[in-house]
Amino acid sequence: MNCKIVLSELDDFLDAELKPMQHAQVQSHLSQCDSCHQAWQQELEFRQLLKEHTVPAPALGLEERAFAKIPKQAKKTNKNAFVAGFSGAIAAGVVLMIAAALFFNPVVQTPVANITLALHQSKKVKMVFDVPEAVAEATFSMRLPEHVEIAGSRGLHQIEWKTALKKGKNLLSLPIVANAAEVGELIAEIKYADQIKRFRMKLDIKATEQGMLKITMPGVA
Amino acid sequence: MKPHVSHLYRVAYRLTNQAEAAEDLLQDVMLHFYPKCQELKQIENLKSWLSRSLYNRFIDNLRKNKRNPITEAADDSALSVVVDHGLVPEHETEQELMQTRIEQSLDKLNDDQRHVVMLHDMEGYTLTELSDIMGTPVGTLKSRLHRARCSIRQTLAMEPSETLMRVKG
């Protein structure tokens, strides 16, 4: 087998598309011919580059959302009441954002401070969890004060579910709505093994002249 | 179906290039096949089978959407803010740069070439599986793959070695 044939069959060789005998012949040639071996290595590096190309990690709770539109009676698993509220999260706007490095870095970054929303109008809380390594199973929970609830789920003030975290940024979007102009606190926790990260957010909700509420997030602890 | 959600999302993202559209496509497939869970258990290569269903739905949607010039923009504002936080190791920056360059090179391909290179070289499907998923003969897929790789190499300025060019020329 000469260089011309080997190089023309390099793609098929790397794609494992050659018959065993041809595959062996190309392999044998590559072990003896420096220039073809170099071309093969170059092609390997190129393929590796393509293989390493990733897609952005999905927002937190992909599995829940993937099954969210399935009628409840059809579901055998996933009885979490959170799903209904969360599936409606796509349509609303931004309320606040937290960027936090979990588990491997104890430092929590200061969140955005002032957010304004209209009374009885849902807006999204967005939290970004930046993890240095993938986490197979983490438990996320959130507690809201009595006068704030998950939008679309009347009276739902507390949610908890298990989820995997991808390496890098994991986005959680959750719509909340305030029903009264009272001070409150939002507590979010993420647990992994024996580690817990807790976020406390003071909600300073005030009705404005136009019937708007101003929610201030002074910091996390 | 649950074990396949992450993988199907990746395939959907490869096809749509948009997180929200990928989730919609994934939900669409789940909604359609969830009531048939028992039947799905009989399928030998469920991953490949679901991928084919997802691909077919993507193509159907694409045909429908071609009639509608209005498309929805993805809301990436949250993530762009996050990128500004924290330090990024040097090797990650290089990796991100390469990611961007590869994405630019993918943008230059036609849909058929882009799909085959993404599903074969990036997601690891074999040509036989892709032939089944995409309903296209292996030989055609090979040609598309070859042209796609050549185009990507050119964009990345990674021409084949001089030896290869000399022999082929």
Side-chain angles (χ1 to χ4, degrees):
Chain A
M1 191 173 267
N2 62 33
C3 294
K4 188 173 181 177
I5 295 172
V6 167
L7 292 172
S8 69
E9 290 187 344
L10 208 48
D11 265 356
D12 282 347
F13 176 75
L14 283 162
D15 293 339
E17 287 290 320
L18 291 179
K19 288 176 182 166
M21 187 181 283
Q22 285 172 294
H23 190 91
Q25 285 172 337
V26 173
Q27 201 158 26
S28 168
H29 181 92
L30 290 176
S31 66
Q32 295 161 19
C33 174
D34 282 347
S35 57
C36 288
H37 191 268
Q38 193 187 337
W40 169 70
Q41 275 195 321
Q42 201 174 340
E43 186 61 23
L44 267 184
E45 285 168 18
F46 171 64
R47 300 282 184 101
Q48 189 58 32
L49 273 180
L50 296 180
K51 205 173 177 181
E52 285 170 2
H53 180 271
T54 56
V55 303
L60 203 67
L62 172 70
E63 205 173 90
E64 286 83 353
R65 289 194 305 282
F67 292 93
K69 284 185 181 173
I70 297 166
K72 280 182 183 168
Q73 63 271 23
K75 293 182 183 177
K76 291 179 181 172
T77 56
N78 196 5
K79 293 169 184 165
N80 196 337
F82 165 72
V83 172
F86 193 62
S87 64
I90 303 300
V94 177
V95 175
L96 64 93
M97 184 182 301
I98 301 164
L102 292 178
F103 311 130
F104 303 93
N105 180 0
V107 179
V108 178
Q109 302 211 29
T110 307
V112 178
N114 299 316
I115 297 110
T116 305
L117 80 165
L119 186 60
H120 302 308
Q121 186 174 314
S122 83
K123 282 207 171 183
K124 271 185 188 176
V125 175
K126 286 191 177 182
M127 295 182 215
V128 177
F129 302 102
D130 195 356
V131 291
E133 287 181 23
V135 175
E137 189 175 291
T139 304
F140 182 87
S141 64
M142 181 186 278
R143 273 179 291 164
L144 296 164
E146 285 297 309
H147 57 285
V148 181
E149 60 190 27
I150 308 292
S153 300
R154 187 175 290 276
L156 185 61
H157 308 289
Q158 190 164 339
I159 52 167
E160 181 177 305
W161 76 99
K162 294 188 190 309
T163 186
L165 298 174
K166 299 266 182 170
K167 182 185 174 184
K169 292 175 275 292
N170 296 262
L171 173 67
L172 165 69
S173 300
L174 189 68
I176 61 170
V177 61
N179 298 317
E182 295 172 18
V183 174
E185 188 178 49
L186 183 157
I187 301 172
E189 277 185 357
I190 189 135
K191 298 178 192 170
Y192 169 63
D194 56 349
Q195 299 177 79
I196 300 175
K197 201 78 186 176
R198 180 173 295 162
F199 308 93
R200 289 179 185 276
M201 283 158 264
K202 296 285 181 193
L203 307 182
D204 182 14
I205 308 168
K206 292 174 184 169
T208 65
E209 288 176 4
Q210 291 79 29
M212 298 288 285
L213 294 180
K214 187 176 186 181
I215 298 186
T216 306
M217 307 295 179
V220 290
Chain B
M1 286 166 79
K2 277 190 179 179
H4 303 290
V5 166
S6 294
H7 176 77
L8 289 173
Y9 172 81
R10 281 208 314 277
V11 172
Y13 191 97
R14 298 277 189 207
L15 296 172
T16 60
N17 201 27
Q18 201 187 75
E20 201 171 326
E23 286 205 17
D24 285 346
L25 186 58
L26 178 64
Q27 278 191 338
D28 200 19
V29 172
M30 293 296 148
L31 185 63
H32 188 76
F33 290 109
Y34 198 90
K36 301 169 185 170
C37 266
Q38 292 305 314
E39 294 166 45
L40 295 185
K41 285 178 183 169
Q42 314 295 323
I43 294 167
E44 201 175 323
N45 188 349
L46 187 58
K47 176 185 154 190
S48 182
W49 192 89
L50 286 170
S51 300
R52 184 176 62 189
S53 304
L54 188 134
Y55 181 79
N56 287 339
R57 283 179 176 269
F58 167 75
I59 295 295
D60 285 348
N61 292 343
L62 200 67
R63 284 176 186 147
K64 284 178 201 164
N65 290 338
K66 272 185 179 172
R67 294 177 209 132
N68 181 3
I70 302 165
T71 54
E72 205 171 330
D75 178 14
D76 289 327
S77 54
L79 294 178
S80 63
V81 174
V82 174
V83 171
D84 293 335
H85 293 301
L87 297 172
V88 182
E90 193 176 342
H91 72 277
E92 279 191 23
T93 309
E94 283 174 18
Q95 218 169 21
E96 283 170 11
L97 278 174
M98 183 50 78
Q99 283 262 124
T100 308
R101 290 181 64 201
I102 289 175
E103 276 151 26
Q104 285 167 346
S105 66
L106 290 171
D107 284 343
K108 293 184 178 177
L109 304 177
N110 65 37
D111 286 349
D112 289 337
Q113 291 171 349
R114 192 166 55 248
H115 295 161
V116 74
V117 82
M118 287 193 296
L119 296 180
H120 184 275
D121 288 352
M122 295 172 177
E123 290 301 325
Y125 283 96
T126 65
L127 285 168
T128 310
E129 284 174 322
L130 285 183
S131 175
D132 185 40
I133 290 169
M134 302 170 92
T136 307
V138 169
T140 308
L141 293 176
K142 277 187 187 181
S143 316
R144 287 176 187 170
L145 204 47
H146 181 73
R147 281 195 287 270
R149 286 168 181 159
C150 286
S151 170
I152 294 171
R153 276 195 214 96
Q154 279 178 352
T155 310
L156 297 178
M158 283 179 63
E159 295 292 350
S161 69
E162 285 179 15
T163 310
L164 181 60
M165 293 177 77
R166 193 169 59 245
V167 171
K168 283 198 163 178

